[in-house]
């Protein structure tokens, strides 16, 4: 479907006097993908073909991911242009918001949203998910802060010994080294946000207010920031697209959404019937007019196996993953 987007990219580049680079990570249920370091080399390949130019516009859709990867992506993009712009057709949350505030300007559609940038720590020392010994629970930086503030402010606990016991109780559930990582991550995200925001906001007091809101004052990691709030309340450099520009941005999003299956559930029984259980799911895109289209895919085979249970023989569905990673799907247009 990349070939269907080529003309749309050409129109968008001409309209904005820019070079477009697209980065999309899927939030399709069961096949969520995040901003990660494995996309960096793809960015380099595309940017080398684009070359150093006046303006690059990153077309971005994501629910978030690795903070360090987001930081690397912003700094890499800025090496290739004088002016960096981010285009948000719908969602650019968490690490996606971090990328966005590092641009000189952000184009947001009427449905576009940013989100808080408070990170979660996920290490082998994190608490395990009950009845799932191989999976761990991400520890939110702001959840830890909220737990301690709840004790001090809502419960009015002031006694040092009582507060120490509360911290000991927390460390019984969350490993002390993870708590240390939580503190470091909180300090790091504030430092990164301050370095990035200088590209949009120069007032130091305003920068602090924006960081406080994005890191904690919004109250929840699920909080969404629409275009009006991003511009009027936070003071970010938000551009509202006109009707023609909106139509172009939305058309690209609709095409990508159809390719990645946004909103679709994976029907394993239909796959087993129609394709002998074999499947290929597209989960991410990095593409441009100059470097072609790279797709993150998962390939596997779904099989049904009978297993013996106390209730008798039951069918167990297994997903045997054969391949997972990036592949170049289409070359750049000639």
């Amino acid at each position: 479907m990349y070939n269907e987007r080529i003309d749309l990219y050409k129109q968008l580049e001409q309209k904005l006097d820019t070079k477009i680079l697209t980065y999309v990570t899927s939030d399709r249920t069961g096949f969520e993908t995040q901003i990660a370091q494995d996309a960096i080399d793809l960015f380099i390949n595309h940017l080398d073909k684009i070359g150093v130019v006046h303006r690059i516009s990153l077309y971005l859709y994501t629910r978030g991911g690795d903070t360090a990867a987001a930081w690397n992506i912003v700094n890499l993009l800025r090496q290739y242009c004088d002016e960096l712009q981010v285009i948000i057709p719908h969602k650019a949350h968490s690490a996606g918001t971090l990328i966005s505030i590092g641009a000189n300007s952000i184009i947001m559609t009427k449905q576009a949203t940013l989100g808080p940038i408070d990170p979660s720590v996920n290490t082998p020392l994190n608490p395990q998910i009950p009845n799932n010994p191989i999976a761990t629970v991400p520890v939110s930086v702001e959840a830890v802060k909220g737990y301690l503030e709840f004790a001090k402010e809502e419960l009015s606990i002031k006694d040092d010994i009582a507060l120490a016991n509360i911290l000991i109780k927390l460390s019984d559930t969350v490993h002390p080294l993870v708590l240390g990582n939580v503190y470091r991550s909180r300090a790091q995200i504030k430092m990164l946000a301050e370095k990035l925001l200088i590209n949009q906001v120069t007032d130091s007091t305003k920068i602090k207010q924006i960081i406080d809101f994005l890191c904690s004052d919004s109250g929840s990691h699920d909080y969404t920031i629409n275009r009006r709030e991003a511009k009027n309340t936070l003071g970010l450099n938000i551009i509202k697209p006109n009707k023609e520009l909106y139509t172009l941005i939305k058309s690209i999003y609709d095409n990508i959404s159809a390719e990645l299956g946004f909103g679709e559930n994976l029907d394993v029984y239909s796959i087993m019937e129609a394709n002998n259980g074999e499947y290929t799911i597209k989960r991410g895109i990095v593409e441009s007019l100059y470097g072609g289209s790279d797709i993150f895919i998962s390939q596997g085979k779904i099989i049904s196996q009978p297993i013996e249970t106390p209730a008798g023989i039951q069918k167990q569905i297994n997903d045997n993953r054969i391949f997972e990673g990036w592949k170049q799907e289409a070359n750049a247009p000639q």
Side-chain angles (χ1 to χ4, degrees):
M1 296 180 73
Y2 167 72
N3 289 332
E4 298 173 10
R5 295 189 287 273
I6 288 174
D7 188 56
L8 295 173
Y9 285 139
K10 288 179 179 178
Q11 293 180 57
L12 190 56
E13 287 197 345
Q14 185 174 17
K15 179 87 175 160
L16 295 174
D17 187 24
T18 191
K19 303 296 182 185
I20 300 292
L21 178 57
T22 294
Y23 186 31
V24 174
T25 63
S26 174
D27 57 1
R28 181 178 180 180
T29 302
F31 288 92
E32 295 87 349
T33 313
Q34 295 190 324
I35 293 172
Q37 296 287 356
D38 62 358
I40 301 297
D41 283 344
L42 300 176
F43 270 79
I44 292 171
N45 291 337
H46 284 264
L47 290 168
D48 278 344
K49 287 170 181 164
I50 291 172
V52 177
V53 295
H54 171 64
R55 181 186 295 122
I56 290 176
S57 300
L58 179 67
Y59 188 101
L60 180 66
Y61 179 96
T62 183
R63 295 300 301 274
D66 181 52
T67 298
W71 167 255
N72 287 343
I73 286 170
V74 174
N75 286 299
L76 177 63
L77 287 164
R78 299 200 72 90
Q79 297 300 311
Y80 286 81
C81 61
D82 300 317
E83 181 183 326
L84 177 61
Q85 184 177 75
V86 170
I87 302 171
I88 305 175
H90 200 323
K91 302 169 186 173
H93 297 168
S94 192
T97 297
L98 191 66
I99 291 173
S100 301
I101 64 175
N104 299 94
S105 61
I106 309 170
I107 297 177
M108 294 181 71
T109 65
K110 58 176 70 73
Q111 63 269 22
T113 55
L114 300 168
I117 59 174
D118 55 302
S120 292
V121 174
N122 203 345
T123 75
L125 295 176
N126 279 45
Q128 290 185 337
I129 295 175
N131 303 318
N132 190 345
I134 65 172
T136 59
V137 180
V139 178
S140 166
V141 169
E142 292 307 314
V144 172
K145 181 188 174 190
Y147 170 78
L148 298 174
E149 288 182 347
F150 174 75
K152 290 188 289 185
E153 297 177 12
E154 295 297 323
L155 302 181
S156 299
I157 298 173
K158 306 296 183 184
D159 181 75
D160 289 342
I161 295 177
L163 289 172
N165 288 333
I166 288 172
L167 184 58
I168 291 171
K169 183 66 176 176
L170 176 62
S171 65
D172 287 341
T173 303
V174 183
H175 195 285
L177 292 180
V178 174
L179 292 175
N181 258 342
V182 163
Y183 174 78
R184 290 179 60 197
S185 295
R186 188 167 187 267
Q188 182 192 53
I189 200 72
K190 288 191 169 188
M191 179 270 291
L192 297 181
E194 184 176 359
K195 288 178 178 290
L196 293 173
L197 270 168
I198 200 68
N199 295 299
Q200 283 189 55
V201 182
T202 56
D203 184 277
S204 59
T205 301
K206 190 64 179 176
I207 287 175
K208 184 180 183 304
Q209 291 172 349
I210 294 171
I211 293 172
D212 287 345
F213 184 84
L214 292 177
C215 288
S216 58
D217 292 351
S218 56
S220 167
H221 195 70
D222 295 328
Y223 184 86
T224 54
I225 302 164
N226 61 31
R227 182 173 68 194
R228 184 172 297 169
E229 186 173 15
K231 182 177 179 65
N232 298 338
T233 303
L234 295 184
L236 296 175
N237 186 16
I238 304 299
I239 297 173
K240 176 182 176 181
N242 60 26
K243 184 176 180 180
E244 182 183 359
L245 182 56
Y246 172 78
T247 299
L248 271 174
I249 294 171
K250 181 70 162 49
S251 296
I252 293 170
Y253 171 78
D254 289 342
N255 190 278
I256 291 174
S257 175
E259 182 167 10
L260 299 189
F262 288 171
E264 296 178 10
N265 292 321
L266 186 67
D267 186 343
V268 295
Y269 295 103
S270 294
I271 290 175
M272 286 191 290
E273 288 180 10
N275 304 311
N276 195 30
E278 296 179 356
Y279 69 85
T280 297
I281 302 293
K282 298 179 179 181
R283 302 175 56 191
I285 292 175
V286 176
E287 66 184 22
S288 69
L289 289 173
Y290 313 92
S293 182
D294 295 289
I295 307 289
F296 186 90
I297 63 172
S298 292
Q299 293 177 312
K301 186 170 184 177
I302 296 173
I303 59 175
S304 174
Q305 292 180 321
I307 60 169
E308 190 172 337
T309 71
I313 301 298
Q314 302 284 338
K315 284 186 177 180
Q316 177 175 284
I317 303 297
N318 291 325
D319 177 3
N320 295 330
R321 202 62 57 89
I322 299 168
F323 173 83
E324 197 160 78
W326 291 95
K327 287 186 175 180
Q328 184 165 53
E329 180 162 280
N331 295 322
Q334 298 300 316

